[in-house]
Amino acid sequence: GSSHAPATPAGLGVTGRIPDDFEQATGLEKKELDAIAKGNADPFGLDGAKIGAFGTKESPRPIPSHVNSRLVGCCCEEDSELIRFFEVHAGEPTLCPCSRKQYFKLVGPKDGIESG
């Protein structure tokens, strides 16, 4: 890892150089950088669920979200380049509008990082 210079005696930053991103981050950015430093490469679930098992009504495909809905794109046909977009809402599983009958369900954050 990188070595950090000692803080000034008053605890107000670093001396003799410009602080790095980690040293000057605050708020939500600091929570993000702390989570990344602990090994969570996607603390806000932005990567989504790009590949996964086919979702059934009994076992829907999980879609990570920090809010009550998320836009999802589904490649309904295996060799197709057409992506069907639809919204998945919290609560009951959502059926994709294609003919394959795949179900999706929102799941909340797993790492306790809040969006607000």
Side-chain angles (χ1 to χ4, degrees):
S2 67
S3 64
H4 298 287
T8 60
L12 298 174
V14 297
T15 58
R17 64 179 180 81
I18 297 173
D20 64 25
D21 290 342
F22 190 82
E23 293 168 327
Q24 63 184 359
T26 61
L28 197 56
E29 181 183 16
K30 179 150 179 48
K31 288 181 181 182
E32 177 185 20
L33 291 175
D34 286 344
I36 291 169
K38 291 177 184 172
N40 182 353
D42 184 30
F44 298 117
L46 297 176
D47 286 344
K50 295 181 178 154
I51 298 174
F54 188 86
T56 63
K57 189 168 189 176
E58 297 74 27
S59 181
R61 189 160 166 189
I63 303 297
S65 182
H66 291 267
V67 294
N68 290 330
S69 67
R70 186 162 187 180
L71 188 64
V72 173
C74 180
C75 295
C76 299
E77 305 301 324
E78 195 170 317
D79 294 328
S80 176
E81 293 180 7
L82 174 68
I83 300 173
R84 293 183 187 222
F85 290 94
F86 58 97
E87 202 165 3
V88 176
H89 297 276
E92 292 297 311
T94 301
L95 178 63
C96 178
C98 73
S99 60
R100 292 178 62 204
K101 306 276 190 236
Q102 181 164 205
Y103 285 85
F104 298 83
K105 182 173 176 123
L106 287 187
V107 294
K110 293 182 172 126
D111 298 314
I113 294 177
E114 299 298 324
S115 58

